[in-house]
Amino acid sequence: MRYNIPVMSETKKSIDEIQQIEDELLSNKSYETLTDFYSLFADKTRLILISLLTRHELCVNDIAEILGMSQSRISHQLAILRKHDIVTTYRDGKSVIYALTDNHIKDLFETGLEHASEKDVDLYKDRKQKKF
């Protein structure tokens, strides 16, 4: 899919045009909020957890077994994701089950995966083999 990306003009913008463009920007606080949000995806363990939860709802014990990691490490990362409303929990008997909060997170993960795999042959092959 091709996108129409505007070609950058060699012509210097007028002061009014510059001001109009500046007025389109979000506030610094909004960009800080977005930075915090996207930083959640910059940790390998959290990305793995998000990846798992795009396909399954799981308890900490199952995740720890699947990943071969300690329950405390998994719980710590899930707490970070929960604090930022990336994952949610519900009870199933005595178990606490983790799930993605909504499909926006799944869409972000899958879009990032698709984009990165366009440039990385090994990632592309891995993605196709695992049917992501």
Side-chain angles (χ1 to χ4, degrees), residues 22-36:
E22 287 176 356
D23 291 345
E24 294 172 359
L25 292 172
L26 298 172
S27 69
N28 281 334
K29 183 167 179 14
S30 292
Y31 286 113
E32 288 171 12
T33 300
L34 281 170
T35 299
D36 290 343

Side-chain angles (χ1 to χ4, degrees), residues 49 52-63 66 74-75 78-79 81-82 86-101:
L49 293 172
L52 280 173
L53 296 175
T54 63
R55 295 178 168 207
H56 308 280
E57 296 180 350
L58 299 163
C59 68
V60 172
N61 293 340
D62 290 340
I63 295 170
I66 291 164
I74 299 299
S75 293
L78 286 169
L81 293 174
R82 189 171 181 198
I86 302 295
V87 300
T88 188
T89 62
Y90 66 90
R91 286 210 170 267
D92 184 14
K94 293 182 179 183
S95 297
V96 175
I97 306 298
Y98 285 83
L100 293 179
T101 304

Side-chain angles (χ1 to χ4, degrees), residues 1 111-121 123-124 127:
M1 176 179 239
T111 299
L113 179 62
E114 182 178 349
H115 177 76
S117 69
E118 288 176 357
K119 305 285 188 245
D120 187 300
V121 175
L123 178 57
Y124 177 83
R127 182 178 147 231

Side-chain angles (χ1 to χ4, degrees), residues 3 11 19 36 84 86 92 97 116 118 129 132:
Y3 296 95
T11 307
Q19 184 61 54
D36 290 343
H84 293 280
I86 302 295
D92 184 14
I97 306 298
E118 288 176 357
Q129 182 182 10
F132 257 99

